[in-house]
Amino acid sequence: MRFIDEVVIFVRSGKGGAGSSSFYRAPFVPKGGPDGGDGGRGGDVILIASSQLTTLEDFTLNRKVSATDGNKGAGSRKSGKAGKDLILKVPAGTIIYNDETGEILGDLENDGEKLIVAKGGQGGRGNVHFVTSTNRTPRRIDPGGDAIELKIRFELKLLADVGLVGKPNAGKSSLLSALSDASPKIAAYPFSTIEPALGVVKVGEYGRFVLADIPGLIEGAHTGRGLGIRFLRHIERTRLIVVMIETSEENYTEVRNQLLNELHSYSESLSRLPKIFVRSKSDDEKPATNKSRMKFDHVISSLTGDGLPEFVDIVSKALNQQH
Ligand SMILES: Nc1nc2c(ncn2[C@@H]2O[C@H](COP(=O)(O)OP(=O)(O)OP(=O)(O)O)[C@@H](O)[C@H]2O)c(=O)[nH]1
Ligand SMILES: [Mg+2]
């Protein structure tokens, strides 16, 4: 499955069916009254959030979707059938925009949350409704409400509790893999991760938090360098950021400042999130050429497992303190 976090689609609701203009006819009743029934309502376009989905990929296959129109009314006061609603499942964490105006139509964060993005047209009234004291045989009907056509943009922001930030190759994916069932790509070269991955980390018997791994950040990411900062949106809604710096870095403080700077350039809110600083690959201890003395909150090795249980503790305590 490809990871897609932004997509534009066209939706159309159903048009309401027209009311019917009809008159009662029967043997020996030459001039019956009006009996034209109402048209059916047009189908709505409805979005429903699902926590099972983590990509918008499905929407790239079919970018034009439509609910069905309501049927016309008929004689004998028969109502037309309502159009069928179109129900689209989107991943929980999807924000819906009117692509033309930029207006936010909704933000579907929780599983099962619903949003009607395009309401179907009302069914038109049949001529039975138009009888007046002066007109007993009206031909008048309602044509039925119009369909709504809309260009909408989905933007997915994955929902996680903790976001991992670091330079490429810092060992972010290795940590996610060591702590959860997720199996992100791990490799000895930069930018091995090209899309975000989520993993559930268990804490004790009942606790858990969701950890998000995103592609590495390099200096100038906010100007589009490397894979850029596009993926930072996926950690915007986390509650805690883990900043990871690998042991063999020559200058920890410089790396830390670069990373914090990129976060800050992306958004104020990201920059304000609480942070835990972790030194990774502790097994990789090189001779102490490193001149910068930076105090880390914690030190780990995903390879040997050193410091991992404590890491989980520290993170879960920090999360609990926020409640
Ligand atoms: N010795 C040692 N190597 C590690 C450790 N953690 C990760 N590595 C190695 O470091 C390299 C990069 O690891 P990744 O987990 O892919 O790093 P990343 O931060 O996800 O990299 P990008 O996705 O490119 O940003 C791989 O060769 C890993 O095997 C560790 O604790 N000790
Ligand atoms: Mg990675």
Side-chain angles (χ1 to χ4, degrees):
M1 234 187 352
R2 270 187 316 151
F3 177 78
I4 302 284
D5 58 5
E6 200 167 312
V7 75
V8 173
I9 65 167
F10 294 89
V11 296
R12 181 188 173 276
S13 65
K15 185 187 159 342
S20 157
S21 178
S22 164
F23 295 93
Y24 181 64
R25 294 271 182 280
F28 314 114
V29 190
K31 255 196 154 186
D35 71 351
D38 301 341
R41 67 168 186 91
D44 299 336
V45 178
I46 303 171
L47 308 178
I48 297 185
S50 162
S51 53
Q52 305 293 313
L53 295 173
T54 52
T55 169
L56 292 165
E57 181 182 13
D58 286 353
F59 296 101
T60 61
L61 306 173
N62 190 6
R63 290 182 193 267
K64 276 192 166 169
V65 291
S66 175
T68 62
D69 295 340
N71 284 348
K72 283 189 214 157
S76 311
R77 296 175 177 250
K78 269 212 337 251
S79 298
K81 233 174 105 183
K84 261 183 93 171
D85 294 336
L86 176 73
I87 296 173
L88 302 172
K89 277 193 181 170
V90 300
T94 302
I95 304 171
I96 300 98
Y97 295 88
N98 177 329
D99 192 52
E100 252 123 50
T101 63
E103 178 199 358
I104 293 186
L105 302 176
D107 183 354
L108 298 180
E109 266 206 53
N110 303 309
D111 195 52
E113 245 177 283
K114 270 191 204 174
L115 175 72
I116 300 180
V117 273
K119 197 135 182 57
Q122 272 192 344
R125 287 175 301 166
N127 66 342
V128 292
H129 299 284
F130 294 99
V131 179
T132 60
S133 53
T134 53
N135 186 358
R136 301 243 139 239
T137 55
R139 292 184 180 280
R140 186 174 152 201
I141 53 134
D142 271 340
D146 287 336
I148 291 175
E149 282 178 289
L150 204 61
K151 195 171 160 195
I152 56 177
R153 183 161 55 87
F154 294 151
E155 191 181 292
L156 173 60
K157 292 187 185 191
L158 292 176
L159 301 173
D161 302 298
V162 182
L164 276 174
V165 169
K167 277 173 56 175
N169 226 40
K172 301 180 293 298
S173 303
S174 301
L175 179 64
L176 179 72
S177 166
L179 295 182
S180 74
D181 285 339
S183 39
K185 189 173 170 205
I186 294 169
Y189 49 83
F191 299 118
S192 39
T193 298
I194 54 168
E195 56 190 44
L198 298 182
V200 178
V201 180
K202 297 210 173 79
V203 188
E205 214 170 328
Y206 303 109
R208 52 178 47 203
F209 60 83
V210 177
L211 185 61
D213 171 32
I214 59 169
L217 282 183
I218 58 173
E219 193 178 13
H222 68 279
T223 64
R225 283 190 66 209
L227 288 179
I229 48 173
R230 209 172 84 72
F231 294 102
L232 286 179
R233 80 156 66 126
H234 296 295
I235 56 168
E236 248 187 321
R237 294 184 176 191
T238 58
R239 297 190 280 134
L240 180 74
I241 302 287
V242 170
V243 179
M244 182 181 278
I245 299 176
E246 67 179 293
T247 293
S248 67
E249 285 289 357
E250 285 298 315
N251 193 332
Y252 297 145
T253 24
E254 190 178 284
V255 174
R256 177 192 61 192
N257 292 344
Q258 278 171 13
L259 291 169
L260 293 182
N261 191 28
E262 295 307 327
L263 294 185
H264 185 76
S265 304
Y266 179 77
S267 87
E268 187 81 16
S269 65
L270 199 48
S271 163
R272 268 202 305 266
L273 282 175
K275 294 179 188 67
I276 289 180
F277 294 87
V278 170
R279 178 155 64 83
S280 62
K281 308 191 192 180
S282 62
D283 59 286
D284 185 22
E285 208 82 53
K286 296 247 161 79
T289 55
N290 200 311
K291 293 197 184 63
S292 76
R293 289 185 192 280
M294 173 178 158
K295 194 166 160 5
F296 285 92
D297 296 303
H298 195 54
V299 178
I300 58 160
S301 166
S302 302
L303 190 71
T304 64
D306 273 356
L308 293 189
E310 295 84 355
F311 172 81
V312 172
D313 259 15
I314 290 172
V315 168
S316 90
K317 287 212 177 87
L319 290 173
N320 286 337
Q321 272 171 14
Q322 293 177 14
H323 283 309

